[in-house]
Amino acid sequence: MSYDPENIFAKILRGDLPCHKVYEDDETFVFLDIMPRSDGHMLVIPKTPARNMLDASPAQLAACLATVQKMSHVALRAFDAQGITLQQFNEDAGGQEVYHLHFHVLPRYEGVSPRPPGQMADQDLLKTHADKMRAALDAG
Ligand code: AMP
């Protein structure tokens, strides 16, 4: 199993495809999932190539998890969420569809089930959510 530099998230990282960016640092990049299972559903990815958790380096995993934790706190504030669900899929049998390591961060709300997968979100709504998240980030 090797890394394909033409995967969608590699194109987003290169700026070849648009996304609703929320945050980046030297090692990681965060943007909104276009088919959010909950409001504020983010994807945290390393800036360097890794197909998934199985071939990622400990440094890549550590950097992603640190960003996952940071962005989880931001999402709790920005969306008045009461919990966070973290998801991460590896290989076809594990449910992976895009072959660049990513962690799903889903803000969760008491009594609200995640939406079914595969529902494309309105782009204006995603923009509003990304703006909200960045504002919460800036507010510290
Ligand atoms: P998985 O590999 O199973 O974690 O699924 C890939 C995830 O990436 C799904 O939740 C998709 O909605 C999401 N996705 C696919 N293409 C894009 C894109 N261009 N921008 C943001 N999210 C995407």
Side-chain angles (χ1 to χ4, degrees):
M1 297 296 179
S2 60
Y3 181 80
D4 173 9
E6 296 309 313
N7 75 76
I8 295 171
F9 295 168
K11 289 181 180 174
I12 287 175
L13 279 171
R14 289 198 295 269
D16 294 343
L17 283 178
C19 73
H20 293 279
K21 177 182 156 183
V22 176
Y23 171 77
E24 71 178 310
D25 59 22
D26 288 347
E27 287 137 318
T28 63
F29 189 86
V30 185
F31 56 107
L32 295 184
D33 196 298
I34 41 166
M35 293 185 253
R37 309 281 315 273
S38 70
D39 286 353
H41 177 170
M42 290 173 275
L43 298 172
V44 175
I45 67 175
K47 286 186 169 177
T48 48
R51 182 176 164 89
N52 55 39
M53 177 271 294
L54 298 168
D55 68 328
S57 69
Q60 284 174 312
L61 294 172
C64 283
L65 257 297
T67 298
V68 163
Q69 185 186 43
K70 177 188 181 82
M71 297 312 298
S72 295
H73 285 294
V74 173
L76 291 174
R77 286 203 310 275
F79 288 88
D80 287 329
Q82 291 90 46
I84 297 290
T85 295
L86 186 59
Q87 288 184 317
Q88 199 278 313
F89 305 112
N90 302 280
E91 298 300 330
D92 186 44
Q96 186 173 13
E97 292 178 357
V98 178
Y99 288 91
H100 181 109
L101 172 65
H102 54 281
F103 293 82
H104 295 259
V105 179
L106 279 76
R108 296 294 303 277
Y109 310 90
E110 288 300 343
V112 180
S113 298
R115 289 191 281 272
Q119 295 181 3
M120 195 71 79
D122 177 80
Q123 289 296 316
D124 290 341
L125 185 64
L126 286 182
K127 184 186 177 314
T128 304
H129 287 170
D131 290 347
K132 206 168 167 179
M133 201 89 73
R134 282 195 305 272
L137 196 54
D138 290 344

